[in-house]
Amino acid sequence: MQVKLRRGLPRVPGGEPWPPAGTVNVADALVEAAPIEAAPTPVSADTVEVPLRRGLPRVPGGEPWPPAGTVKVAAPAVPAAETATVDDAEPAHTVEVPLRQGMPRVEGGEPWPPAGTVRVAAPAPGAEPEPQPETEAAPAAPVAATVVDNAVAKTAPEPTPQPAPQPAREPAQQPTPRPARVETAGKPEGVARQWLPWAIGALLLLAAAVFGARWYVGTEAGADFIARYNGIQPLPDNAPTGLPGWLNWAHFFNMFLMALIIKTGIDVRREKRPAAYWQPKKGGKKISVTLWLHQALDIAWVVLGVVFFVLLFTTGQWMRIVPTSWEVIPHAVSAGLQYLSLDWPTENPWLHYNALQELSYFVTVFIASPLAIASGFRMSGMWPASWKAVPMSWARAVHFPTMIYFVAFVVVHVFLVLTTGVRGNMNAMFAAREDATSWIGVVLFLVAAGVTALGWFFARASVVAPVAGKTGKVSKR
């Protein structure tokens, strides 16, 4: 028999509904669509009337399609003896099942279709009906639609897949705007607002310390304390004088490596999508190229530290940075008071450091550096998996604060070098000479700073990846 095709959505935006208008021959099924507004026809013995399943609107804001109505479908043949009369009693060849309710058609409406039941063909006699959960019971409404859909699938050519047009969002369905603080996260103004209160608090604390130190130094007790402990570190009689050449080049390499280690360490913490990954040639865990560079710089720094320690103790230079008397503590307090009162102690790094410098160098070389090495080794892939004694949480809790200490030390160190006789300090640190008038130390420092700046600039994945590829496999994923 001829059945009118049910037309669906267009295949392309703005096109005609698919399939084209027409009819199709349907075998072994008697389907008769009842007009929506026509008077109901009597139910024949070989058909059953089921409601149409309504879908989404054809246009935004329109009515659900198809219009509300019913359709008659063929009922399974049963013996005449089992056929019941059409009255309020339940027919023998059908069973009543609940309709499965879906989403509301309009926002805030009731679930669709309304709660109710529908009669469907009963299973053959003698077969036990399988219990079905209420949430999985399919309505009988799609019976007629399934017959037509199967016929269309067999007769109509398969269209080219096209993206289905998305219905326009209603104003009430627009996504809720994200908070403004999320939109500004990571921007310079957001960082400035975050650190501004801390910076103001630090400046106020420093100002209070300066005024307190100046007041104490001006008192009789303060003057007597500084006169008794002038801040100069007590050195052994056999302590060496001057700074040797190996200490100058070790100072340069330490400056260069520390700058790049701090830079790559910050990059590793901020990196979300690495530009490239590195993996050992024999296989293993992949890490970002930035982390590979950070660990390579760490290894170079450790090697430099080993050489530095050997020369430090074989030449006697350790006496200049290792306290040998408890009097170093009051001398360090005196030096700190003199710095805070802005009446700084006399500097002569060629002969000796003051007690506060001695303690700071001791902490940096013998405490902070070993902590940075140990915690970094624990966090790296070189740590043996069988070593369970040191937890990873300890390494993470130590490594980053240690880096913050190094940053603070470098800032204070550079500030004092530039403000306590820059030429004399540069000549002692970079030219290994006692001279407060020559500019050679300043020139060497500028060269060292330029090399460090170049290293900082080229410490990026695009430059490091070819070098990392010599020691392992580099890939983008």
Side-chain angles (χ1 to χ4, degrees), residues 299-316:
I299 294 174
W301 189 61
V302 171
V303 173
L304 175 65
V306 172
V307 176
F308 176 81
F309 268 74
V310 171
L311 294 175
L312 188 70
F313 285 98
T314 56
T315 61

Side-chain angles (χ1 to χ4, degrees), residues 312-352:
L312 188 70
F313 285 98
T314 56
T315 61
Q317 288 290 328
W318 64 270
M319 301 179 193
R320 295 168 58 92
I321 62 174
V322 177
T324 57
S325 172
W326 286 107
E327 291 187 357
V328 70
I329 296 178
H331 278 290
V333 174
S334 174
L337 288 173
Q338 294 178 62
Y339 279 122
L340 287 176
S341 65
L342 304 182
D343 186 13
W344 291 357
T346 303
E347 299 287 344
N348 192 355
W350 186 259
L351 297 178
H352 56 76

